[in-house]
Amino acid sequence: MQYFSTRGEGSPLSFKETILTGLARDGGLFLPESIPDVSDKLDSWRYMTYSDLALEIMRLYADDIPDSALRAIIDKSYGVFRHEEVTPVVEVGPIYILELFHGPTLAFKDVALQFLGNLFEYCLEENKEEMNILAATSGDTGSAAIYGVRGRERIRIFVLHPNGRVSDVQERQMTSVLDDNVFNIGLTGTFDDCQNIVKELFCDLEFRDKYKLGSVNSINWARVLAQVVYYFYAAFRVQEKTGAKQLRFSVPTGNFGDIFAGYVARQMGLPVDKLVVATNENDILSRYFNTGVYSLGAVTPTLSPSMDIQVVSNFERYLYYLSGNDPVLLKQWMAELRSSGSIEIKRDPKDELFVAGRGDTEMTIATIREYWEKYAYLLDPHTAVGVAVASQFMHPDIPMIALATAHPAKFNDAIIQATGEDIAHHELVEELADLPTQKELLAADRDVVAEFVRSRIEAGGKNANGDL
Ligand SMILES: *Cc1c(COP(=O)(O)O)cnc(C)c1O
């Protein structure tokens, strides 16, 4: 399988090259040259374990990695999950909840980032190379990425988070990792500032090459790929139980990476009838899917901080398909968006796949309370946004699967606010309170960040002796 950039420049890359490159050199995002149709394989995949299913799906895209190596990467990645099904589905009242939070940092991002960490290690070992990962986080990516690569020989990781704007637990999950290949940076700015600085440094090709930058942000194709697997897994579980032909998924959405994986699953032939784009008050996507106008606003902090985003990086992948696979038109759109902050792009009226809605703070709280009182099930605030918005798109014969993207114990304040009770606990969270932490505070300035990264790489740390 070859991969090309949405902006159309450069020659196609193999899977391994694509993963190591991260963001395309022309500033675009990578897409596979084709999406395989697996409709005729669904029945034979139906009863597979999570890891077996992951292998079947991933080998279609990672065809330059031998099956035995890919299997080892998958087994290692999902062996650390605390549930034997990896991503179990539970029926709760009117909805099915796909629990994606059984990984080491209790967020869905572990599903992709455990895989990516092992994949990087495999590729770097093979090429005898090293990599310096630069990542922006609104909370959960940072810790999941750090847990994906901590302590690895050939990798350093620099994680930028908006200082004071991630939850206490999220911050501790990152800053309590003291491995000497891990650098936490608290930036005086928003998540979008963090993301813009990372993007700018990636676009500085000289800097990027010199310091061998790698990306774990959701633009990395391997993250999308890892996420495709659980759409299949969940669909099979719910079909087993209900016999339903079609399914709907509701996805708490920020950077459009998770739901884009659902779109890929649908393109591969999974019978998905609707994908519900659920946003919080930062509703640029919800407005877009309801009006056709994509216009940037200011970031509003909410109870679901991992969705407090305006610049939606993965949306470019969807826009590429919407442009009729036309990189010239796509580049025009991106330029217009940059200059005017707003763009109108009519959707194909036949495309009824995506529907969208906004779940604000009041709805989030009410939904957490309702699910606790009626069903004794605790939703984290991100998941609650997805469940709240899903309730507007229920169909009597088509089951709704809501993606649960974080464990409620990560967002205990919201749970207390909603239920009045201090009930959201998890041993991995409790342990954090007593651990020593480490971070660097920097201004939201590209040059300041570049200098920090440069100095730490050149100062070496444990990879300094060239004896990799
Ligand atoms: C990252 C994240 C999201 C948003 O996922 P995207 O792929 O960015 O749309 C939702 N919920 C939680 C808990 C997250 O960490």
Side-chain angles (χ1 to χ4, degrees), residues 79-352:
V80 302
F81 276 61
R82 295 175 155 234
H83 195 289
E84 59 176 1
E85 277 194 79
V86 184
T87 63
V89 180
V90 294
E91 186 176 358
V92 182
I95 213 163
Y96 291 87
I97 304 276
L98 169 56
E99 294 185 344
L100 301 172
F101 51 70
H102 294 283
T105 72
L106 309 178
F108 93 97
K109 292 186 171 77
D110 288 324
V111 178
L113 285 162
Q114 284 295 314
F115 174 69
L116 187 59
N118 287 309
L119 186 62
F120 276 155
E121 184 168 61
Y122 170 82
C123 296
L124 294 171
E125 189 60 42
E126 197 176 54
N127 301 352
K128 303 287 178 239
E129 280 175 1
E130 65 173 290
M131 173 188 272
N132 294 296
I133 292 169
L134 200 54
T137 186
S138 58
D140 287 335
T141 301
S143 53
I146 288 169
Y147 274 78
V149 303
R150 64 185 295 182
R152 293 189 200 254
E153 284 292 331
R154 298 177 177 278
I155 304 175
R156 287 183 205 87
I157 184 166
F158 297 85
V159 175
L160 279 57
H161 69 265
N163 199 49
R165 297 204 189 200
V166 301
S167 80
D168 187 46
V169 172
Q170 287 176 322
E171 174 161 347
R172 283 178 172 279
Q173 278 185 317
M174 295 190 279
T175 57
S176 63
V177 178
L178 303 180
D179 298 69
D180 56 8
N181 69 333
V182 174
F183 300 92
N184 279 292
I185 301 169
L187 218 66
T188 45
T190 64
F191 169 66
D192 286 335
D193 294 329
C194 297
Q195 189 159 257
N196 286 335
I197 289 175
V198 168
K199 265 208 152 184
E200 278 180 41
L201 292 178
F202 266 93
C203 291
D204 178 345
L205 297 182
E206 198 181 316
F207 186 86
R208 172 172 171 176
D209 291 341
K210 182 160 183 203
Y211 296 110
K212 301 184 166 59
L213 298 191
S215 162
V216 292
N217 275 119
S218 61
I219 51 168
N220 195 305
W221 173 255
R223 286 191 54 181
V224 176
L225 177 57
Q227 292 165 181
V228 170
V229 176
Y230 51 68
Y231 282 90
F232 280 84
Y233 187 80
F236 293 154
R237 296 295 75 72
V238 173
Q239 287 186 317
E240 219 165 62
K241 202 153 181 182
T242 62
K245 293 217 163 27
Q246 294 282 326
L247 301 154
R248 296 185 172 183
F249 286 91
S250 179
V251 188
T253 294
N255 250 325
F256 206 73
D258 200 3
I259 198 163
F260 187 78
Y263 177 76
V264 172
R266 160 61 137 49
Q267 300 308 101
M268 291 174 74
L270 195 68
V272 178
D273 143 270
K274 295 260 181 266
L275 287 170
V276 181
V277 181
T279 69
N280 62 24
E281 283 90 334
N282 298 286
D283 60 353
I284 180 167
L285 286 173
S286 167
R287 283 184 283 120
Y288 170 71
F289 282 107
N290 285 300
T291 66
V293 178
Y294 185 75
S295 74
L296 300 174
V299 178
T300 310
T302 71
L303 293 177
S304 41
S306 296
M307 296 152 64
D308 293 348
I309 287 170
Q310 288 290 336
V311 181
V312 183
S313 55
N314 264 288
F315 200 52
E316 180 165 338
R317 288 194 160 110
Y318 173 70
L319 290 181
Y320 176 82
Y321 290 126
L322 209 61
S323 74
N325 303 3
D326 180 351
V328 176
L329 179 58
L330 179 85
K331 275 194 284 199
Q332 269 172 26
W333 285 349
M334 299 315 286
E336 191 181 331
L337 183 63
R338 253 196 316 277
S339 63
S340 73
S342 171
I343 177 170
E344 181 164 5
I345 304 169
K346 288 268 179 305
R347 292 172 64 196
D348 177 352
K350 293 193 299 294
D351 165 26
E352 308 228 302

